[in-house]
């Protein structure tokens, strides 16, 4: 009864009679003005089935008349994971988890699946990379209870969707989305069309149900998620999994529609899997028996709702070429160049003929503006080979005019530094207290 391409029919709201054209009166029940436009959408997903379902044409509604959903969070059972997600995974949402090979994505999700399954919630783990025996072997090695976890090892989208419709799980894991393919979009997994088509099918399914979808994703050698950027736009949350040189893993959100992107989750990789680091405040400080060397400065930074004390390390050496270079992975090289330029202009210390190396102990990435003062102290210390005195912490934003500007949450930063035994804490001047006002005062205070 529907048109070949248009797929539009008219349905009586009184008796359910359908016919291809609009009429003022229903031929079946005789009701006037009861025929409503209905669309036949072969891509529509409903609990009753898939494909060529009749749905009502959507119409705009007033936002104030819509009731906000309550109790929409599903705890993963892992506090650090919940912290990054904003208090738990939001139902009817899709999450994309990216990380380099071997970092622990599958381990984290298997631990999450086990934690959720204990709460009598159905979990479906779809793996296109490992066999069921391999997943069971990992679960036994980690000592996980697997009751309630359903495993489906396939790369076919259609098999996955059939399993979703039959089980209707509360938590769905796709490991990984790059391995899933559908004959509708070709037969080669990982192509742009495959990623967009398969991801859209999974996301459409979860949006209609009280479920949570997590898809793992491959990354390129640059560390970005492989595939089209539109894949990150389609999901609600994008989470990056990173590591340092040790067994520490960092989990942080690059996008989160239901929470902050400032929180960071810290894990330690052990024989029993990923374990949350309970007190990471001093995790990024180097323990020394002697005085700290030149080129090192400590600063308190905020990551979400927590304060960490971190150690910024700097090294300057004469440039080997006519143009000096900056090597910095954990702090943006542009910030390093700007701070060095301010010191050179305001303090008369030359950096233009030096190669600059900057690192952060522990491997955490820093982007907060409050690290400027500590970065300046580390650079000055490295260039002059004069060490910052033990027990000194410094923070503040450095302007191009050489001013040390105040930053947020000063009291919390000072309290955290004092709690770790720092006796000399240099902070910017504010309305209710005195402090460091400019770069010259900072350098004189630290280096006498």
């Amino acid at each position: 009864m529907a048109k070949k391409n248009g797929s539009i029919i008219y349905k009586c709201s009184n008796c359910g009679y359908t016919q291809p054209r609009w009429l003022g009166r229903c031929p079946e029940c005789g009701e006037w003005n009861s025929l409503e436009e209905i669309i036949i959408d072969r891509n529509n997903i409903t609990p009753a089935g898939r494909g060529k379902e009749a749905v009502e044409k959507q119409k705009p509604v007033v936002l104030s008349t819509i009731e906000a959903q309550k109790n929409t969070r599903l705890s993963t059972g892992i506090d650090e994971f919940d912290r990054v997600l904003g208090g738990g995974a939001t139902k009817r949402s899709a999450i994309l988890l990216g990380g380099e090979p071997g970092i622990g994505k599958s381990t984290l999700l298997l631990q999450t699946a086990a934690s959720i399954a204990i709460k009598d919630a159905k979990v479906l783990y779809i793996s296109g990379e490992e066999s069921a025996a391999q997943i069971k072997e990992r679960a036994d090695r980690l000592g996980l209870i697997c009751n309630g976890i359903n495993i489906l090892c396939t790369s076919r989208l259609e098999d996955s969707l059939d399993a979703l419709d039959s089980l209707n799980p509360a938590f769905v894991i796709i490991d990984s989305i790059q391995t899933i393919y559908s004959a509708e979009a070709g037969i080669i997994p990982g192509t742009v069309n495959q990623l967009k088509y398969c991801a859209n099918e999974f996301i459409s399914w979860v949006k209609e149900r009280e479920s949570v979808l997590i898809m793992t994703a491959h990354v390129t050698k640059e560390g970005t998620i492989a595939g089209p950027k539109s894949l990150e736009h389609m999901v609600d949350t994008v989470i990056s999994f990173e590591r340092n040189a040790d067994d520490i893993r960092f989990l942080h959100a690059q996008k989160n529609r239901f929470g902050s992107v400032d929180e960071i989750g810290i894990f330690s990789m052990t024989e029993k899997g990923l374990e949350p680091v309970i007190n990471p405040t001093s995790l990024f400080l180097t323990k020394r028996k002697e005085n700290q060397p030149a080129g090192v400065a400590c600063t308190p930074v905020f990551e979400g709702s927590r304060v960490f004390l971190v150690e910024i390390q700097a090294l300057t050496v004469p440039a080997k070429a006519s143009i000096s270079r900056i090597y910095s992975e954990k702090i943006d090289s542009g910030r390093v160049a700007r701070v060095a330029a301010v010191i050179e202009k305001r303090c008369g210390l030359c950096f233009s003929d030096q190669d600059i190396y900057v690192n952060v102990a522990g491997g955490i990435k820093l982007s907060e503006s409050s690290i400027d003062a500590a970065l300046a102290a580390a650079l000055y210390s490295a260039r002059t080979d004069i060490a910052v005195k033990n027990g000194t912490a410094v923070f503040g934003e450095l302007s191009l005019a050489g001013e040390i500007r105040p930053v947020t949450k000063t009291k919390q930063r000072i309290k955290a530094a004092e709690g770790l035994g720092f006796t000399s804490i240099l902070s910017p001047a504010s309305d209710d207290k005195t402090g460091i006002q400019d770069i010259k005062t900072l350098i004189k205070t630290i280096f006498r």
Side-chain angles (χ1 to χ4, degrees), residues 138-158:
R138 179 187 292 114
D140 292 341
R141 186 174 68 252
L142 300 177
L144 301 177
I145 300 175
C146 301
N147 297 336
I149 302 178
N150 298 275
I151 298 294
L152 175 63
C153 297
T154 183
S155 294
R156 294 185 68 249
L157 173 67
E158 290 74 19

Side-chain angles (χ1 to χ4, degrees), residues 28-346:
E28 183 70 19
C29 65
E31 187 73 18
W32 287 93
N33 297 322
S34 61
L35 294 181
E36 296 180 350
E37 190 175 83
I38 300 293
I39 299 175
I40 300 293
D41 186 359
R42 66 182 182 86
N43 294 318
N44 180 57
I45 304 172
T46 66
R50 302 183 54 80
K52 294 187 178 180
E53 300 292 338
V55 295
E56 294 184 6
K57 185 175 181 179
Q58 296 298 315
K59 300 177 181 179
V61 295
V62 179
L63 182 60
S64 60
T65 63
I66 299 175
E67 295 185 4
Q69 293 183 345
K70 298 180 180 180
N71 300 323
T72 59
R73 297 279 185 178
L74 177 64
S75 175
T76 63
I78 302 176
D79 292 340
E80 292 294 295
F81 200 4
D82 286 343
R83 178 189 297 274
V84 176
L85 292 172
T90 304
K91 296 178 181 178
R92 297 175 181 258
S93 71
I95 302 168
L96 190 65
L97 175 64
E100 63 184 60
I103 197 171
K105 299 187 297 296
S106 299
T107 299
L108 175 64
L109 293 183
L110 188 58
Q111 290 180 245
T112 302
S115 299
I116 293 176
I118 293 177
K119 306 171 186 176
D120 297 328
K122 283 186 179 180
V123 178
L124 177 59
Y125 192 118
I126 301 174
S127 176
E129 299 179 346
E130 297 178 290
S131 66
Q134 289 174 317
I135 298 174
K136 182 60 167 64
E137 182 181 352
R138 179 187 292 114
D140 292 341
R141 186 174 68 252
L142 300 177
L144 301 177
I145 300 175
C146 301
N147 297 336
I149 302 178
N150 298 275
I151 298 294
L152 175 63
C153 297
T154 183
S155 294
R156 294 185 68 249
L157 173 67
E158 290 74 19
D159 294 343
S160 301
L161 294 175
D162 289 342
L164 289 172
D165 290 335
S166 61
L167 292 174
N168 194 28
F171 198 79
V172 184
I173 297 171
I174 311 294
D175 189 15
S176 65
I177 187 60
Q178 272 89 356
T179 63
I180 305 297
Y181 76 93
S182 171
E184 294 289 336
I187 58 174
I188 302 177
T191 63
V192 172
N193 287 340
Q194 286 285 10
L195 285 173
K196 294 171 67 175
Y197 182 83
C198 295
N200 182 67
E201 289 293 310
F202 286 126
I203 294 171
S204 298
W205 186 91
V206 79
K207 291 296 182 181
E208 298 295 328
R209 294 165 175 83
E210 297 295 312
S211 303
V212 176
L213 170 69
I214 294 187
M215 302 180 289
T216 65
H218 298 168
V219 296
T220 64
K221 61 182 180 180
E222 290 82 15
T224 59
I225 293 178
K229 198 68 175 178
S230 59
L231 186 62
E232 299 179 38
H233 289 281
M234 294 167 64
V235 299
D236 301 295
T237 305
V238 179
I239 296 178
S240 176
F241 211 10
E242 301 172 355
R243 70 170 131 195
N244 64 359
D246 301 321
D247 293 327
I248 303 298
R249 304 291 192 269
F250 304 106
L251 196 67
H252 65 89
Q254 298 176 344
K255 168 189 175 183
N256 192 352
R257 288 174 177 161
F258 309 108
S260 171
V261 295
D262 297 324
E263 294 287 356
I264 183 173
I266 304 177
F267 298 87
S268 175
M269 179 62 80
T270 66
E271 295 180 354
K272 293 297 182 180
L274 290 164
E275 295 185 357
V277 177
I278 304 301
N279 185 19
T281 305
S282 61
L283 180 65
F284 308 106
L285 294 179
T286 303
K287 297 180 180 180
R288 298 184 179 89
K289 295 182 180 180
E290 301 177 353
N291 293 336
Q292 64 185 21
V296 173
C298 297
T299 183
V301 297
F302 254 95
E303 291 290 342
S305 58
R306 295 184 293 187
V307 185
F308 303 101
L309 268 295
V310 298
E311 182 181 285
I312 299 178
Q313 304 167 348
L315 173 67
T316 62
V317 296
K320 299 178 178 63
S322 58
I323 301 177
S324 61
R325 294 173 291 180
I326 296 175
Y327 303 87
S328 178
E329 294 182 358
K330 305 307 178 183
I331 300 177
D332 181 57
S333 58
R335 180 186 295 273
V336 176
R338 177 173 58 82
V339 172
V342 172
I343 298 176
E344 184 166 347
K345 176 67 175 179
R346 306 301 172 185

